[in-house]
Amino acid sequence: MDHVTVAGIDCGTNSIRLKIARVGHDGIEDIVPRTLRVVRLGEGVDRTREFAADALERTYAATREFAGILASHPVDALRFVATSATRDARNRSDFEDTVESILGVRPEVISGTEEADLSFLAATSMTRRADLEPPFIVIDLGGGSTELVLGGDGESASATKVQAAYSMDIGSVRMTERHFHHDPPTQGEIDAAVEDIDAHVTEAFRTVPAGQARTIIGVSGTVTTMTALAMGLDRYDHSAVDGVRMDFARAFDVDDRFLHMTRAERRTYPTIHPGRIDVVGGGALVWNRVLARIGDAALADHGQRIDSYVASEHGLLDGLVLDLGRRLLAHI
């Protein structure tokens, strides 16, 4: 057999996503492209360390919808992974039991390191640009956590091989719930969030030598949404955003502008998914600070500041499907 059909479900803090694809020795082909539902599973988890009943019901409804899609598209294997919010929730066994009753597979609560590895796999193997200079650092900015993953230099170590990774407990939902209590946030709230973010980045840099990077690749809904806004798109366009290179100055200006907007003002931009309206400012602030800190680290490490990043549509979900398909093929 030269290909397998597999499905992956990525259940994060803010959204749950399904992808069904045919994976072969020569690549991957979508059967059901990414289907996304914003369920805010992690609502309140940073404070209570438990899933809220309403958040669970929203997630179960999306899971039942995905079960219907899967019934129409038989697969050789399905893997359901859960990330930051589920790692933090004390009542996660109830969630796992119910999902298993709906889908027949039990959610795997993966570590931040595995999440980082899968995001790096997708971003480096599926982002189509000829000018990506290694070493690559991939930033996966989620609702509850943000992963930094550094690859090799392409000489002493393969550019697509993970050299170091770290998962930080900062993300769009977590920062918004923890710090932003006014609409728009006050300067004091923003300053407190920056201090929180910077402390996590400093800790991450003890594990990930970010200054070695020459190319930054950003994945996740926050990154691609803010990139689309910086591009001036009236509607979100996956194909236009994927692989685009964006300079820091333009990105920082747009990120800061949307951080200081009210939610009502953000709703006037169709480019932003309705489920991100209230948290995209927090995500933009995380994105700003992580980019700036990596740029500074690169300047200190090799005397050359990085001043742009590449946006990728290919993150954890794509890496999950690609990895699952490859592992099945290896055993056929």
Side-chain angles (χ1 to χ4, degrees):
M1 185 181 295
D2 60 358
H3 69 267
V4 292
T5 301
V6 296
I9 297 175
D10 160 24
C11 186
T13 299
N14 197 46
S15 61
I16 184 169
R17 312 168 192 218
L18 165 71
K19 181 184 180 77
I20 304 174
R22 184 176 294 108
V23 179
H25 296 290
D26 55 352
I28 182 171
E29 177 187 359
D30 284 356
I31 295 174
V32 176
R34 182 175 57 202
T35 302
L36 178 148
R37 297 292 178 264
V38 175
V39 295
R40 194 64 58 80
L41 176 62
E43 182 178 14
V45 168
D46 184 63
R47 177 176 53 84
T48 66
R49 297 301 180 192
E50 288 191 348
F51 290 133
D54 288 350
L56 286 170
E57 286 306 319
R58 291 192 297 268
T59 307
Y60 298 153
T63 303
R64 293 186 187 99
E65 180 186 355
F66 290 176
I69 296 172
L70 286 160
S72 301
H73 299 276
V75 298
D76 298 306
L78 163 65
R79 190 179 181 198
F80 184 122
V81 302
T83 55
S84 177
T86 311
R87 289 195 290 266
D88 291 348
R90 288 188 294 256
N91 59 339
R92 75 188 207 188
S93 61
D94 296 337
F95 165 70
E96 293 165 353
D97 291 343
T98 302
V99 168
E100 186 174 17
S101 73
I102 296 170
L103 287 173
V105 299
R106 195 165 185 83
E108 298 176 49
V109 184
I110 62 173
S111 68
T113 301
E114 183 175 2
E115 184 177 355
D117 288 349
L118 291 172
S119 295
F120 187 84
L121 169 66
T124 57
S125 62
M126 299 176 71
T127 302
R128 295 177 175 85
R129 283 192 69 99
D131 62 343
L132 298 182
E133 180 185 2
F136 309 135
I137 189 164
V138 172
I139 307 168
D140 185 352
L141 198 170
S145 66
T146 296
E147 283 68 46
L148 297 184
V149 201
L150 182 72
D153 59 8
E155 297 174 2
S156 60
S158 168
T160 57
K161 180 177 175 58
V162 173
Q163 299 297 304
Y166 192 89
S167 181
M168 302 177 286
D169 281 339
I170 53 175
S172 60
V173 175
R174 198 183 294 268
M175 290 297 97
T176 300
E177 290 187 351
R178 185 179 292 176
H179 297 290
F180 295 167
H181 309 300
H182 294 85
D183 181 27
T186 66
Q187 190 57 50
E189 289 170 346
I190 293 170
D191 291 344
V194 168
E195 184 177 352
D196 192 359
I197 294 163
D198 279 356
H200 281 85
V201 174
T202 297
E203 184 64 30
F205 281 7
R206 294 191 176 101
T207 299
V208 180
Q212 295 179 12
R214 295 300 180 99
T215 298
I216 298 172
I217 304 175
V219 302
S220 83
T222 292
V223 173
T224 54
T225 296
M226 298 314 300
T227 302
L229 291 167
M231 294 169 68
L233 298 183
D234 293 330
R235 291 284 190 278
Y236 192 83
D237 184 338
H238 295 276
S239 61
V241 172
D242 188 38
V244 75
R245 185 177 289 277
M246 179 60 60
D247 65 88
F248 281 7
R250 190 172 172 188
F252 289 167
D253 177 67
V254 170
D255 292 350
D256 189 65
R257 187 153 50 89
F258 279 83
L259 169 63
H260 287 87
M261 280 184 186
T262 64
R263 293 174 183 177
E265 288 172 324
R266 291 182 198 139
R267 286 193 188 96
T268 65
Y269 289 83
T271 314
I272 307 175
H273 189 287
R276 300 191 193 282
I277 293 294
D278 59 333
V279 298
V280 76
L285 184 60
V286 174
W287 184 231
N288 254 347
R289 292 307 304 154
V290 174
L291 286 178
R293 291 290 302 276
I294 293 174
D296 291 344
L299 181 63
D301 193 76
H302 53 73
Q304 182 177 348
R305 185 186 297 275
I306 300 176
D307 59 6
S308 67
Y309 68 88
V310 173
S312 175
E313 283 282 343
H314 308 290
L316 171 60
L317 181 60
D318 298 274
L320 172 66
V321 170
L322 186 58
D323 175 70
L324 178 59
R326 286 178 174 178
R327 286 194 283 113
L328 278 184
L329 285 169
H331 290 91
I332 292 176

